[in-house]
Amino acid sequence: METTWLADLKALSETLNFSRAAQIRNITQPAFGRRIRALEAWCGADLVDRTGQRLSLTPAGAVMLAAAGDVLQRLDRARDDIEQAQTATATLTFAATHALSFTFFPAWIKGLGTGAATQPMRLLSDNMIRCARMMRAGEAQFLLCHHHPESPTGLPDAGFDHIVLARDRLAPVTGRDAAGRPLHCLPGTPSQPVPHIAFEPSSGMGRILAAALPSCDRPVHLLPLFSSHLAMVVKALAIEGKGVGWIPDSLARDELGPGGRLAEGGDGWHVNVDIALFRPNAPLGARAERFWRQLVEAASVRAAANPSNAL
């Protein structure tokens, strides 16, 4: 059976006239009549009562019409779902933490060249918890985030792969006094801890710092005053002199130079981190897979050119 026959029956039920139904279906009346006959042959019953002055559907025709409507609706929905899936896979969708959305993503995409930069892309910027949730739910193909080997990402290791795109570090910064000196200095003491502008413990950056700071050579004494998921908020409060906060160098760089409003809050307290791109191990669309292969090949070229520091 051909699905066009179902649409023919629907047109005939609406017009109860072979000529008008054939016009709606954009075929000749004899061809339309043959298709209705073919459908009746497939069903093994007459679907149209041709004996009266006015055409009507037989009881078998009414049953078939109901089935035809259901089948055609299902086919339309399936086609729409396929079109949406094709559109989704044709667009590269990135989930990225707020800080990297502003400081890294635009320049990184531009640096990949016109072939990558002109592809359809969508950037979903959020905190690390929600970004990881989007990846687990399949709402994004890639996750751009800071990564430290001792800190969990919230993604199952067996289900995701990643490559390192660049290196960054978390620097302890604070506001400056009139002479340009840091307003707060690490490491503090038990009796005089350093005011700390912290990341939420459940945030990606908070987990990295919780894992990395205890491994420092010297103890650090901090007094948490404020916490946030957003590195931009930590930076703003540090500029105001509220305390010391660890933020990515890529975010602090513009304020650490001459004339800037930030100073480093102590030597030896930096935390080295990677800027990584994660993807699920499950197959992605053709465009996303091609994009990933390009990134892997570029990383291999970098590694071969400079084995001691591939990035």
Side-chain angles (χ1 to χ4, degrees):
M1 187 189 72
E2 298 183 18
T3 56
T4 53
W5 300 348
L6 301 178
D8 292 340
L9 181 63
K10 185 173 183 294
L12 185 59
S13 72
E14 293 170 350
T15 62
L16 297 178
N17 183 285
F18 273 87
S19 178
R20 289 199 297 273
Q23 290 177 352
I24 292 172
R25 299 292 294 144
N26 198 29
I27 59 174
T28 65
Q29 182 174 336
F32 181 84
R34 287 194 295 271
R35 295 204 318 208
I36 293 296
R37 288 290 188 189
L39 179 60
E40 289 178 319
W42 184 87
C43 294
D46 290 335
L47 304 180
V48 182
D49 184 353
R50 301 170 175 83
T51 60
Q53 292 182 349
R54 182 177 175 82
L55 288 178
S56 62
L57 295 184
T58 65
V63 172
M64 193 61 189
L65 178 64
D70 183 58
V71 169
L72 292 173
Q73 287 180 359
R74 287 174 178 269
L75 290 174
D76 286 341
R77 285 198 298 269
R79 182 180 58 194
D80 291 342
D81 290 344
I82 291 171
E83 289 178 353
Q84 292 178 9
Q86 289 176 334
T87 300
T89 57
T91 300
L92 301 180
T93 303
F94 297 84
T97 54
H98 290 294
L100 291 177
S101 298
F102 291 105
T103 63
F104 181 81
F105 185 83
W108 170 63
I109 290 295
K110 183 178 179 180
L112 294 177
T114 56
T118 56
Q119 295 187 72
M121 294 185 184
R122 186 163 62 125
L123 178 63
L124 307 174
S125 181
D126 216 316
N127 61 55
M128 183 61 187
I129 292 177
R130 291 178 181 171
C131 284
R133 189 179 302 154
M134 284 189 277
M135 287 293 289
R136 293 194 301 269
E139 297 171 6
Q141 298 155 319
F142 303 104
L143 166 61
L144 179 66
C145 64
H146 284 98
H147 177 56
H148 190 280
E150 296 180 15
S151 174
T153 61
L155 299 175
D157 293 339
F160 292 84
D161 192 11
H162 77 278
I163 56 174
V164 176
L165 302 178
R167 308 290 185 191
D168 204 349
R169 65 175 190 168
L170 305 182
V173 297
T174 182
R176 296 181 176 184
D177 62 18
R181 295 184 297 265
L183 292 173
H184 304 278
C185 291
L186 298 171
T189 65
S191 60
Q192 291 185 315
V194 177
H196 183 205
I197 309 163
F199 284 97
E200 289 286 340
S202 59
S203 69
M205 211 75 77
R207 293 181 203 170
I208 290 174
L209 289 170
L213 286 181
S215 63
C216 292
D217 295 335
R218 296 167 290 165
V220 61
H221 305 281
L222 302 172
L223 176 64
L225 293 182
F226 188 88
S227 64
S228 173
H229 279 283
L230 301 177
M232 295 293 291
V233 173
V234 175
K235 176 182 177 180
L237 292 176
I239 288 174
E240 292 180 10
K242 302 298 185 182
V244 169
W246 274 262
I247 62 175
D249 262 356
S250 52
L251 185 61
R253 193 174 299 123
D254 62 330
E255 292 287 356
L256 286 172
R261 296 174 292 174
L262 287 175
E264 294 197 9
D267 295 328
W269 299 102
H270 300 86
V271 175
N272 293 321
V273 292
D274 295 330
I275 296 176
L277 190 72
F278 285 78
R279 62 152 292 172
N281 288 331
L284 302 173
R287 188 186 295 264
E289 291 289 356
R290 186 166 56 250
F291 178 77
W292 179 259
R293 286 195 299 271
Q294 291 171 350
L295 295 179
V296 172
E297 290 169 4
S300 298
V301 170
R302 288 194 302 267
N306 190 357
S308 62
N309 184 10
L311 298 170

